């Protein structure tokens, strides 16, 4: 895997800055044409965030759930972690998945209770038919005191419709049809099949009602300012957060 461009800097570990947000946004806008740069940068930034909340990952067991081609897995391994990729869709793995990759549903992980020091999932929850079961599996597989990193693009975000955003505000079927007419190719996502309307308010209420985790942080993943404040405003957060990052700690 190529190293990130040394000229592109993200913020200090876990931090937020306009420069970091701009670098990630620019990489995201080139994601279709240059996925290597986009996901290598995102993986490095995500690993920085994990280490900001949980300390260095060297020597730890990290479980990457739904990590696709393995950019996150490779970054954690580069930092010395024992990282294992669990991916449900073999089409997402690419031609050379990381060694030890397991094809498995994130809602039914083939892991013993408390197997992982860190359970990590980036932008997967909105593709899961049963988000509650998915989150429950992440928590079950994390050891007491371990860290859960979960981010997702909520439905009412400007990017909630993924490739057919922001036209999803006018209805999923209309947005999908518009995308296919404009591009001449089938859309990757279909609402109710591989994309689901996940919202921030219900997700926060769900995790806060649990007794087996504490919420360390609930913030916008990419915003350079007011990243935590925006998630505390009902209604507004559904549009303004863009992507929710939850850092949870497994209770003893």
């Amino acid at each position: 895997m190529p190293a990130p461009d040394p000229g592109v800097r993200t913020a200090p570990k876990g931090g937020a800055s306009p420069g970091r947000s701009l670098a990630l946004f620019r990489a995201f806008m080139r994601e279709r044409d240059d996925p290597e740069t986009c996901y290598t940068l995102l993986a490095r930034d995500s690993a920085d965030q994990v280490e900001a909340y949980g300390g260095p990952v060297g020597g730890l067991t990290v479980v990457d759930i739904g990590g696709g081609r393995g950019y996150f897995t490779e970054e954690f391994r580069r930092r010395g972690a024992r990282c294992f990729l669990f991916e449900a869709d073999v089409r997402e793995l690419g031609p050379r998945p990381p060694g030890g990759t397991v094809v498995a549903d994130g809602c039914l992980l083939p892991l013993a209770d408390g197997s992982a020091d860190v359970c990590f999932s980036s932008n997967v929850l909105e593709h899961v038919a049963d988000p509650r079961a998915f989150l429950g599996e992440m928590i079950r597989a994390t050891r007491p005191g371990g860290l859960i990193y979960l981010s997702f693009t909520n439905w009412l975000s400007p990017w909630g419709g993924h490739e057919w955003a922001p036209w999803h505000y006018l209805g999923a079927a209309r947005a999908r049809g518009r995308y296919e007419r404009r591009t001449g190719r089938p859309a990757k996502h279909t609402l109710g099949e591989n994309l689901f309307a996940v919202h921030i308010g219900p997700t926060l209420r769900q995790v806060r009602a649990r007794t087996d985790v504490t919420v360390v942080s609930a913030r916008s993943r990419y915003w350079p300012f007011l990243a935590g404040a925006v998630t505390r405003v009902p209604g507004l957060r559904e549009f303004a957060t863009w992507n929710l990052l939850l850092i949870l700690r497994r209770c003893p």
Side-chain angles (χ1 to χ4, degrees):
M1 181 176 295
D5 181 351
V8 177
R9 305 300 299 168
T10 52
K13 293 183 178 183
S17 73
R20 166 190 176 265
S21 297
L22 183 60
L24 290 169
F25 181 72
R26 285 175 172 170
F28 171 74
M29 295 303 291
R30 299 194 300 267
E31 181 265 344
R32 182 176 293 276
D33 298 323
D34 189 6
E36 290 283 333
T37 296
C38 176
Y39 289 109
T40 299
L41 181 63
L42 183 60
R44 186 178 68 180
D45 185 80
S46 302
D48 281 349
Q49 289 181 318
V50 169
E51 291 191 327
Y53 290 102
V57 297
L60 300 185
T61 299
V62 179
V63 174
D64 176 12
I65 306 170
R69 296 199 171 198
Y71 293 97
F72 302 103
T73 294
E74 295 290 3
E75 177 63 25
F76 284 120
R77 289 180 179 179
R78 188 183 69 79
R79 299 182 186 218
R82 298 182 299 273
C83 189
F84 303 94
L85 173 60
F86 291 79
E87 173 59 60
D89 189 346
V90 294
R91 295 169 296 181
E92 294 292 330
L93 290 173
R96 294 184 302 276
T101 294
V102 178
V103 177
D105 187 342
C107 293
L108 193 63
L109 293 171
L111 290 170
D113 295 357
S115 299
D117 297 297
V118 178
C119 263
F120 176 91
S121 177
S122 173
N123 296 333
V124 178
L125 195 68
E126 69 267 31
H127 303 293
V128 174
D130 191 346
R132 185 181 295 271
F134 185 89
L135 176 61
E137 276 293 271
M138 290 187 72
I139 295 170
R140 181 192 65 78
T142 305
R143 66 166 176 80
L147 202 71
I148 296 109
Y149 178 111
L150 174 70
S151 82
F152 67 92
T153 303
N154 54 297
W155 175 245
L156 291 177
S157 157
W159 300 106
H162 286 51
E163 72 271 25
W164 25 273
W167 303 100
H168 64 296
Y169 289 131
L170 302 180
R174 179 181 296 180
R176 191 173 190 275
R178 180 186 181 280
Y179 172 86
E180 293 179 345
R181 290 191 301 272
R182 183 172 59 85
T183 64
R185 58 175 177 261
K188 179 179 180 180
H189 298 100
T190 301
L191 190 67
E193 294 182 10
N194 59 358
L195 181 63
F196 300 88
V198 183
H199 302 286
I200 291 175
T203 302
L204 289 176
R205 288 191 291 273
Q206 176 188 336
V207 297
R208 287 169 176 159
R210 297 187 68 113
T211 59
D212 50 2
V213 290
T214 57
V215 179
V216 177
S217 182
R219 56 177 289 177
S220 171
R221 184 178 184 181
Y222 304 120
W223 273 113
F225 49 83
L226 300 176
V230 70
T231 64
R232 295 194 290 269
V233 184
L236 176 66
R237 63 191 174 196
E238 301 295 341
F239 299 92
T241 301
W242 286 40
N243 186 288
L244 180 68
L245 170 59
L246 283 174
I247 304 292
L248 310 176
R249 181 79 65 183
R250 178 70 191 271
C251 294

